[in-house]
Amino acid sequence: MRGLAMLRNTRTIVGLCALSGVSVTAVIGWATGFFAWAVGSVRSLWDGFIAFLNSPFSWEHLAAGAGVLLVPIVIIVVIFALADN
């Protein structure tokens, strides 16, 4: 019986430590502006990705399409070469 009480107490202590650690990290991140920087970075990446998708005839799109087609062809050729000895 004493073991169960200690286990509950240990779980409570670990839970409180985790909660306080997350709280302190959130306050530090908010105070230093980390979250604003992270949101700005994600927004910038997203805008760049949407701009990339909206320009289907750019060189980047052609290179990405060639890579998508070229990689499976190379893998198949390597498999056939290994299987044929």
Side-chain angles (χ1 to χ4, degrees):
M1 196 60 146
R2 180 180 168 154
L4 276 173
M6 183 179 269
L7 187 63
R8 283 190 200 150
N9 198 10
T10 303
R11 285 183 180 175
T12 303
I13 292 171
V14 169
L16 288 175
C17 287
L19 181 64
S20 64
V22 168
S23 299
V24 168
T25 303
V27 168
I28 290 173
W30 173 71
T32 59
F34 173 76
F35 294 128
W37 171 80
V39 168
S41 297
V42 170
R43 183 180 292 158
S44 172
L45 288 172
W46 181 256
D47 289 341
F49 179 67
I50 294 299
F52 172 74
L53 290 179
N54 287 332
S55 60
F57 297 113
S58 67
W59 285 107
E60 291 88 4
H61 252 87
L62 294 175
V68 166
L69 294 175
L70 188 64
V71 170
I73 291 172
V74 169
I75 290 173
I76 290 172
V77 167
V78 168
I79 289 172
F80 283 153
L82 292 174
D84 252 354
N85 283 333

